[in-house]
Amino acid sequence: MRAPSYTSLDDALETLSGYGTALRNGNSNHAPMVTEALCAMGRPDAVMPWIARYRDRMLPRLPARDRICGEDWRSALGERSRFTDWAAFFGEELQEAAWSEVLDRWVARLAPGFCAAATHGVIRVGHAVRSLAAGATACRVRELADALASWAVTYQELPASRDVANGTMTPREAIARIPVIPPANRRDLGNITASLAMLDDFPEFGPVIGLIDVDRDFGPLLSELTEVFARVHLANAHNLLTTIVFIHGVTSLAALGSIIPEVSDRTARAGLRYAWQSGCGLYACFGGSTVMAQDIETREHDEDDLVDRALANGDEHVIKFTEACLRRHALGPSPAYFSAVDSALAIMPSR
């Protein structure tokens, strides 16, 4: 795969700065995330043409309402109409402290809402952080403010048992213990975020957060988590909706991989625990009887060809998923990653 190149990123972020977090169909605006993913894959020349095709789907950011103050920020969590207020709030924080300090403070605070907007909040933050690690510019700092704001306005917690001690299982061991809402009891609620609310009436899910041992070394734990959820994707993605659902189980962990090097150990471990919970929440609401694929054929893949295929498909989820899988495969090789990308490309319609 080509070396990362961020030559078009700042111009693209400037172009996108007037837009909000939602698309006209109510789904999340993926443009800033796709832009950074394309640069990370060494395709900066593809950024502006992709934005030009996507632009009609985006909505302008709403006007500011009321200033968010440091002492009452909790009352503004989850208020989707206050993206501009939150972006201004984080912009002020980033003027007063180093971006890594602000990141650590707020990832710790927002981690219980890891599943926000089907994990798009943390995914956007992860892309913003990686771009800043490559080189801090005013546009990239502003994008971090917007990314944190997108997480705050969509904040959503999943049910968790109180006072849960650190678990003892590995992700591979624990994933087989995840309870699944029986298909007959599932409700078609129109989107992933609303569907996750079904877990509020599913008490069996509460203990899930405490199953795995998050005191292990970050690198191996993140690698195992990501590979497990790539296998969950392979076993459970069978149509457009479930493909998108289980893509997020992987891309959110890949995003966390960009955040972990920039935050404290305590914040990183909280992120890993809630990332695990969120991936399990997706499986509990949308999964089938087979939790993850076991025997996967090892096949040779040309990484540049996979990127070309993702670009030809054009779907925002496919592009981000391809980048995430290639990144995680480079760090911990597994046939699950290439097979998962092949599966997504076969199911997702071109745009």
Side-chain angles (χ1 to χ4, degrees), residues 19-175:
Y19 294 96
T21 61
L23 300 177
R24 295 186 184 279
N25 64 2
N27 293 335
S28 295
N29 176 8
H30 290 69
M33 299 175 265
V34 171
T35 294
E36 195 279 334
L38 289 171
C39 291
M41 292 189 291
R43 302 301 179 95
D45 55 319
V47 168
M48 297 309 290
W50 187 88
I51 289 174
R53 295 190 298 273
Y54 194 76
R55 203 167 190 168
D56 288 346
R57 299 166 61 189
M58 296 188 289
L59 292 170
R61 67 173 63 205
L62 297 172
R65 283 175 45 191
D66 298 299
R67 188 175 184 274
I68 295 172
C69 298
E71 61 273 11
D72 66 353
W73 58 268
R74 287 181 179 82
S75 65
L77 283 177
E79 293 195 27
R80 289 177 178 257
S81 63
R82 300 194 67 185
F83 171 66
T84 304
D85 296 337
W86 272 108
F89 173 80
F90 286 121
E92 292 174 4
E93 292 241 328
L94 287 162
Q95 288 178 356
E96 296 170 0
W99 67 263
S100 57
E101 179 183 334
V102 175
L103 179 74
D104 183 65
R105 178 164 60 247
W106 283 95
V107 170
R109 289 174 174 178
L110 296 173
F114 195 96
C115 73
T119 72
H120 284 119
V122 70
I123 293 171
R124 185 169 177 179
V125 169
H127 283 285
V129 167
R130 184 169 56 175
S131 73
L132 279 165
T137 68
C139 287
R140 298 177 199 184
V141 172
R142 183 182 62 207
E143 169 54 21
L144 178 58
D146 284 357
L148 288 167
S150 73
W151 192 348
V153 299
T154 56
Y155 186 85
Q156 177 186 10
E157 294 185 16
L158 299 181
S161 298
R162 293 188 177 183
D163 302 322
V164 176
N166 188 52
T168 59
M169 296 184 190
T170 68
R172 276 183 171 273
E173 293 167 338
I175 197 70

Side-chain angles (χ1 to χ4, degrees), residues 317-341:
H317 299 93
V318 168
I319 292 171
K320 294 194 297 106
F321 190 48
T322 300
E323 187 278 319
C325 285
L326 291 177
R327 184 194 338 171
R328 295 312 307 177
H329 178 79
L331 294 169
S334 167
Y337 293 119
F338 290 136
S339 294
V341 173

